[in-house]
Amino acid sequence: MQARLEETVQYRLPLGEEAVELNPLLGRPIRLRYTGNIFCTHCGKATKKSFSQGYCYPCFIKLAQCDMCIVKPETCHYAAGTCREPAWGEQFCMQPHIVYLANSSGIKVGITRQSQIPTRWIDQGAVQALPVFRVSSRHVSGMIEVILAQHVSDKTSWQQMLKNQVSPIDLAAERDRLLALCKAELDELVGQFGDKAVELLSDRPSVDIRYPVDRYPVKVVSFNLDKNPEVAGVLHGIKGQYMMFDTGVINIRKFTGYEIEFSG
């Protein structure tokens, strides 16, 4: 889903060359039906199975964007000369990244390209977010994430996030606590990569994010289009990449590349 940060996040669902505005559909019955067709989001070819949320198998095994270092950026091997696509790495990984704290199901540390703020926060269902560092590359951001993740989570509990079991957090105070705890390791990292590679964003304010939800689920039941091709019910909310119905929830990103018929 495409999301835009406003007073309440605005969502659009791309369907082919068109997109459906979802916020006005809150409280109304809608239906999604999977046709059985899947198309790779990179090459466009039909595929029987989607890999890494939208790729056919040949693209999955050859593209740099599907490499394990995307999930674990601290293992980046660009400098070793073994990147699958050096030009892609230059464009997407060797670019400024933000290390941030967010509150989605409790405090977590995360990273994203500078150009993906605030999209990344919205995709994770964060209700608060605070940039902490701007760094020179994805690799450096991953190494800082590993350091901070010794003291806070680097994952979101999607069930808690969808139930809205989230209490407000003073992210600035948590940032200062983590910086004090990790000072020696962070200083060592700056010594390794240089002052210009790591910039502390001490003056950035925390961002609050509101989602279009009129009712949160008490029990989270997840739809799987591979097992049941139809999702139908009253739309009660959208948070992260999840659509929440009175009948269950669906992670739209999980089914990227699936051909869907929409009615509502």
Side-chain angles (χ1 to χ4, degrees):
M1 286 182 288
Q2 299 169 348
R4 186 173 70 254
L5 181 60
E6 295 186 6
E7 183 177 354
T8 299
V9 176
Q10 300 295 307
Y11 281 98
R12 303 172 78 226
L13 180 63
L15 295 170
E17 296 181 358
E18 300 180 357
V20 177
E21 298 288 345
L22 293 176
N23 291 53
L25 300 179
L26 230 64
R28 292 172 51 181
I30 65 174
R31 175 175 169 268
L32 306 175
R33 192 183 75 82
Y34 166 44
T35 66
N37 297 320
I38 307 173
F39 299 95
C40 176
T41 56
H42 182 77
C43 71
K45 293 181 179 179
T47 177
K48 293 183 179 179
K49 184 178 179 181
S50 173
F51 294 85
S52 191
Q53 298 178 344
Y55 300 90
C56 65
Y57 186 70
C59 286
F60 171 66
I61 61 173
K62 75 179 182 182
L63 295 176
Q65 58 200 281
C66 297
D67 203 345
M68 182 56 66
C69 55
I70 296 300
V71 179
K72 296 183 176 182
E74 69 276 11
T75 64
C76 172
H77 46 95
Y78 178 90
T82 54
C83 180
R84 295 180 185 180
E85 298 175 277
W88 188 91
E90 286 283 351
Q91 184 178 358
F92 292 96
C93 298
M94 310 307 288
Q95 297 294 328
H97 276 61
I98 300 294
V99 182
Y100 62 85
L101 295 177
N103 181 12
S104 49
S105 58
I107 190 170
K108 72 176 293 292
V109 59
I111 67 169
T112 191
R113 288 198 313 275
Q114 181 172 278
S115 60
Q116 287 299 101
I117 297 294
T119 302
R120 180 60 173 163
W121 300 338
I122 295 171
D123 283 352
Q124 293 184 333
V127 296
Q128 297 172 276
L130 177 70
V132 179
F133 290 103
R134 181 193 290 115
V135 300
S136 59
S137 69
R138 186 173 181 84
H139 182 210
V140 176
S141 71
M143 295 188 73
I144 293 179
E145 183 181 37
V146 168
I147 292 171
L148 300 184
Q150 297 175 93
H151 305 284
V152 293
S153 177
D154 59 354
K155 295 179 174 60
T156 296
S157 168
W158 62 273
Q159 295 96 334
Q160 284 183 246
M161 182 269 288
L162 290 177
K163 292 179 181 179
N164 203 36
Q165 295 176 341
V166 187
S167 300
I169 296 173
D170 186 338
L171 293 180
E174 287 297 309
R175 174 200 62 202
D176 295 344
R177 180 182 71 88
L178 289 168
L179 292 178
L181 283 171
C182 303
K183 185 179 186 307
E185 290 166 291
L186 292 171
D187 286 349
E188 183 178 346
L189 185 138
V190 171
Q192 179 181 352
F193 290 97
D195 292 339
K196 293 183 179 179
V198 182
E199 177 189 358
L200 176 62
L201 304 174
S202 57
D203 59 343
R204 294 295 183 89
S206 176
V207 175
D208 295 326
I209 304 173
R210 294 179 57 191
Y211 297 88
V213 181
D214 62 24
R215 184 189 306 172
Y216 287 96
V218 176
K219 182 179 180 180
V220 176
V221 178
S222 184
F223 289 112
N224 186 337
L225 294 178
D226 293 317
K227 295 180 178 179
N228 185 347
E230 184 168 305
V231 174
V234 176
L235 180 65
H236 282 304
I238 313 165
K239 191 175 185 183
Q241 282 290 315
Y242 286 85
M243 297 175 69
M244 296 182 277
F245 299 84
D246 59 341
T247 50
V249 307
I250 181 169
N251 181 349
I252 295 296
R253 170 163 288 171
K254 179 179 179 180
F255 301 103
T256 302
Y258 283 53
E259 186 178 64
I260 301 294
E261 293 176 347
F262 177 93
S263 58

